[in-house]
Amino acid sequence: MPGKAYFVARFDMGPAKRYHWRQESTETRARPTIPAARPANHRFPPTMNAIDHDAEAVASPPPTVGFWQAFRFWLKLGFISFGGPAGQIAIMHQELVERRRWISERRFLHALNYCMVLPGPEAQQLATYIGWLMHRTWGGIVAGGLFVLPSLVILVALSWIYVAFGEAPLVSGIFYGIKPAVTAIVVQATHRIGSRALKNGVLWAIAAAAFVAIFALAVPFPAIVAAAAVIGYAGGRIAPGKFAAGGGHGTRGQSFGAALIDDRTPTPAHALFTWSRCAKVALAGALLWLIPMGLLVLAFGWDHAFAQMGWFFTKAALLTFGGAYAVLPYVYQGAVVQYGWLTPGQMIDGLALGETTPGPLIMVVTFVGFVGGYAAAAFGPDNLFAAGAVAAMLVTWFTFLPSFIFILLGGPLVETTHGDLKFTAPLTAITAAVVGVILNLALFFGYHVLWPQGPSGAFDWVSALIALGAIVALLRFRWNVIPVIAACAALGLVVKMLR
């Protein structure tokens, strides 16, 4: 599977009984469920002991979940979805499969398998899928939209603070320390994806070729993806063993009791595949793209920043195989080099903001849109915030619209089959190429952090030490991203105050 982690649910049965996700075979033996705690004054009926009560509780599915009850959960999820896709998927599993039992383990993993195949943020797509399965189209729109909305609001506010007050000593000191941390995070992403994806010499060669292509030859990212797909397609026929996908989300999940959407629950009528429904979704998706794009072109012209952002981020949304880190080089090529919407340093700062806010990491495009719209001053010099906010919303719309269409179009096919999805050789090759592309991104960030004035300027030893410490914390001690960024920000602030 291209660059997206494979996890299975496991419990740490020590005293803390912590839930976590680990990369391992899905054929491992299921461990016992931890029953929910009961109030201290709870009393069982005379004819029922505690064990009987627990058995009865998990044998019966939970009561039907109303639309607004689900709405409140999806809104809460939007504010607590930190930790990248692994953390976000773990939160959904813990809440929806274990605690609330809205969906069974098997059905959850089956939906996740489909989302892993798609371009785009898999955690947001999974929320959309489950919301759609529970409450039809509007349920999916609400679940996926609320997964993104809090992050959009937070990032617009932070982007405005960054643009308006970025030169203030406090803000500049914080970002001085954050930039080396971002470089370390990208190095960690290269290591994590590479250790999982590069299983043989052929895949290593594809990764190396992709790195040379983008680093030395400046080949566009879409061309690298297309070439890798062709190589994978041919290689899958010539040497299938070299391109076999490793890992995956199996369907032998752990049982946490009867679920509202259980293994044997019939597929609801709205989730059955019909050609008429498929045509309606495709037409609606096309209109939802064409109408705003047409209005932008009519109002501002095709060459205006707003129209170009809509077109560019639509293409970016279709190229996010391997997660946000895979598409960041493409965003850099377009936003920094081709269009000049922001500088390399601003791109690094935007990624830091994306790492420290809830929601998908690809929400960094909201920052790119805000800074680009702010600089374009589309509504005049007195309305810079409005221009930035509108650009941020437009970029977010065009980036996430394809994800909704993929789920609403493909969901009925997935529900109809209920079988395992087979990952193809082209996607395995794309994963390998993504490793080389992300390595190039790490070097790009490292260069601009360590030589902030360019090759003729001085080497920044302080930034190098902060980056080295962050790499050790992430790779050796396995710290989470947010504490690393917070520690580096504090160091950067102290350094700036002492200078």
Side-chain angles (χ1 to χ4, degrees):
M1 176 53 220
K4 298 182 178 180
Y6 305 110
F7 299 90
V8 290
R10 306 296 289 167
F11 278 102
D12 178 357
M13 299 300 290
K17 296 184 175 62
R18 294 170 298 176
Y19 171 84
H20 61 97
W21 291 74
R22 292 175 56 188
Q23 180 185 350
E24 56 181 50
S25 169
T26 56
E27 300 299 321
T28 51
R29 178 171 58 88
R31 300 186 186 180
T33 307
I34 307 297
R38 285 178 291 274
N41 61 351
H42 182 83
R43 294 292 184 269
F44 293 102
T47 58
M48 182 186 296
N49 59 31
I51 297 176
D52 294 333
H53 182 273
D54 288 331
E56 181 178 293
V58 299
S60 302
T64 302
V65 177
F67 179 86
W68 292 109
Q69 181 182 353
F71 181 97
R72 290 191 293 271
F73 168 75
W74 298 122
L75 179 61
K76 170 189 172 183
L77 181 65
F79 282 101
I80 64 172
S81 55
F82 291 94
Q88 293 156 2
I89 292 169
I91 291 172
M92 280 191 281
H93 185 278
Q94 191 172 40
E95 288 286 336
L96 299 178
V97 177
E98 299 177 48
R99 181 168 173 263
R100 302 171 188 263
R101 291 188 288 130
W102 288 0
I103 188 170
S104 70
E105 169 93 341
R106 187 182 301 243
R107 297 287 283 268
F108 181 91
L109 294 179
H110 182 68
L112 180 56
N113 270 334
Y114 173 59
C115 297
M116 291 301 225
V117 177
L118 300 174
E122 62 268 33
Q124 184 265 349
Q125 290 166 344
L126 179 62
T128 304
Y129 190 106
I130 296 174
W132 161 78
L133 193 59
M134 294 181 64
H135 295 113
R136 308 172 68 91
T137 300
W138 276 110
I141 292 172
V142 166
L146 291 179
F147 196 90
V148 173
L149 184 60
S151 180
L152 171 64
V153 175
I154 293 170
L155 273 174
V156 167
L158 292 177
S159 299
W160 176 73
I161 293 172
Y162 173 84
V163 173
F165 305 104
E167 297 302 322
L170 174 64
V171 178
S172 63
I174 290 173
F175 278 97
Y176 177 78
I178 284 178
K179 288 177 181 179
V182 171
T183 302
I185 290 167
V186 179
V187 170
Q188 181 206 30
T190 307
H191 174 268
R192 185 180 67 246
I193 298 174
S195 62
R196 185 174 63 248
L198 306 182
K199 300 299 185 183
N200 56 63
V202 173
L203 298 178
W204 272 96
I206 293 175
F211 172 76
V212 172
I214 196 168
F215 178 81
L217 305 178
V219 176
F221 180 66
I224 294 174
V225 171
V230 171
I231 293 171
Y233 178 80
R237 291 173 173 268
I238 298 170
K242 298 292 185 180
F243 292 87
H249 297 273
T251 57
R252 295 190 182 185
Q254 182 175 345
S255 174
F256 296 94
L260 191 63
I261 302 175
D262 214 357
D263 295 346
R264 293 191 175 95
T265 302
T267 301
H270 72 271
L272 295 174
F273 177 82
T274 63
W275 284 109
S276 60
R277 182 190 178 282
C278 181
K280 289 179 183 178
V281 172
L283 177 61
L287 290 176
L288 289 172
W289 186 89
L290 285 170
I291 291 174
M293 179 60 75
L295 292 175
L296 289 175
V297 174
L298 288 175
F300 301 100
W302 175 251
D303 293 327
H304 191 271
F306 284 174
Q308 289 299 304
M309 283 181 182
W311 175 240
F312 174 76
F313 284 102
T314 297
K315 294 185 290 182
L318 301 175
L319 292 169
T320 50
F321 292 103
Y325 286 111
V327 81
L328 283 176
Y330 178 64
V331 173
Y332 158 72
Q333 284 182 334
V336 177
V337 177
Q338 182 178 354
Y339 295 104
W341 292 328
L342 71 173
T343 66
Q346 289 173 329
M347 183 74 184
I348 300 173
D349 295 339
L351 181 57
L353 291 178
E355 289 278 9
T356 54
T357 52
L361 178 58
I362 194 62
M363 286 299 294
V364 66
V365 302
T366 301
F367 174 86
V368 174
F370 185 94
V371 174
Y374 192 98
F379 305 138
D382 296 329
N383 297 289
L384 296 179
F385 174 81
V390 169
M393 288 186 286
L394 286 172
V395 164
T396 304
W397 173 268
F398 287 109
T399 298
F400 284 92
L401 178 62
S403 289
F404 287 94
I405 298 173
F406 287 144
I407 295 301
L408 297 178
L409 268 180
L413 286 173
V414 178
E415 283 301 308
T416 300
T417 60
H418 273 248
D420 290 342
L421 294 177
K422 302 302 182 183
F423 304 130
T424 62
L427 294 179
T428 301
I430 290 173
T431 304
V434 160
V435 176
V437 171
I438 298 176
L439 176 60
N440 171 75
L441 181 69
L443 293 179
F444 158 74
F445 282 171
Y447 169 76
H448 286 283
V449 167
L450 301 181
W451 285 275
Q453 306 301 323
S456 59
F459 181 82
D460 192 336
W461 287 101
V462 175
S463 292
L465 291 174
I466 294 176
L468 180 60
I471 291 173
V472 172
L474 290 167
L475 295 181
R476 175 65 180 84
F477 296 104
R478 301 187 182 278
W479 282 23
N480 291 327
V481 167
I482 293 179
V484 170
I485 290 180
C488 292
L491 286 173
L493 183 59
V494 170
V495 169
K496 282 291 187 180
M497 291 176 64
L498 294 177
R499 284 183 174 179

